[in-house]
Amino acid sequence: MRATFKGLLALAALPMIAGSMFAGPAFAAPNPDYARAKAAGTIGELPDGYVAIVGSGDSMLERVVSDINKQRRELYTATAMEKKATVQQMAFVTGCNTIANTKPGEKYQSPDGTWRTRDASAPVRDTRCP
């Protein structure tokens, strides 16, 4: 039986799929280029659980984004199989958490598609996020 979307949102509190896992040991080694780009606001978090270049980027940024998204997709796929969910459901739940865990100064994309810079207030997230 496949997990329901509502049931997956309940999983959002699990450390295994918390957004902060992408900055730490969940992946083989933190990418210093990713950390620098995120801090500089040239890479931002997307509501669908992936990252993108904010504005225009060079080949290094494209490689970093591609590598991070590949790692995330692999994790979402493994977690989805374990939870009997879809990859898209896992990515969405993680996107909710990742955007919630952005730090002031970091970029994220709001549900209307605009890039925003996180300030001290809560980020604008999809209304389906817990």
Side-chain angles (χ1 to χ4, degrees):
M1 182 159 134
R2 304 221 35 97
T4 64
F5 184 74
K6 192 173 188 178
L8 284 172
L9 289 178
L11 294 174
L14 293 175
M16 179 174 95
I17 58 175
S20 62
M21 67 191 228
F22 296 109
F27 295 115
N31 184 325
D33 292 330
Y34 169 70
R36 279 191 292 274
K38 190 169 181 179
T42 55
I43 290 178
E45 296 293 336
L46 296 171
D48 66 1
Y50 296 97
V51 295
I53 296 172
V54 178
S56 61
D58 57 20
S59 60
M60 186 276 298
L61 277 180
E62 290 171 4
R63 179 185 47 78
V64 169
V65 165
S66 177
D67 289 348
I68 295 298
N69 287 338
K70 179 181 177 211
Q71 291 175 18
R72 289 185 180 192
R73 191 170 25 266
E74 289 170 359
L75 182 61
Y76 299 154
T77 300
T79 306
M81 289 175 56
E82 178 183 318
K83 300 296 179 189
K84 296 180 176 36
T86 69
V87 173
Q88 292 78 14
Q89 288 169 323
M90 298 312 301
F92 176 80
V93 170
T94 305
C96 289
N97 291 327
T98 304
I99 288 175
N101 290 324
T102 55
K103 295 176 177 58
E106 293 179 343
K107 299 280 189 182
Y108 70 95
Q109 194 176 64
S110 65
D112 69 4
T114 59
W115 286 106
R116 296 179 181 245
T117 302
R118 175 74 188 264
D119 58 19
S121 62
V124 178
R125 299 185 306 151
D126 190 295
T127 57
R128 298 172 292 167
C129 290

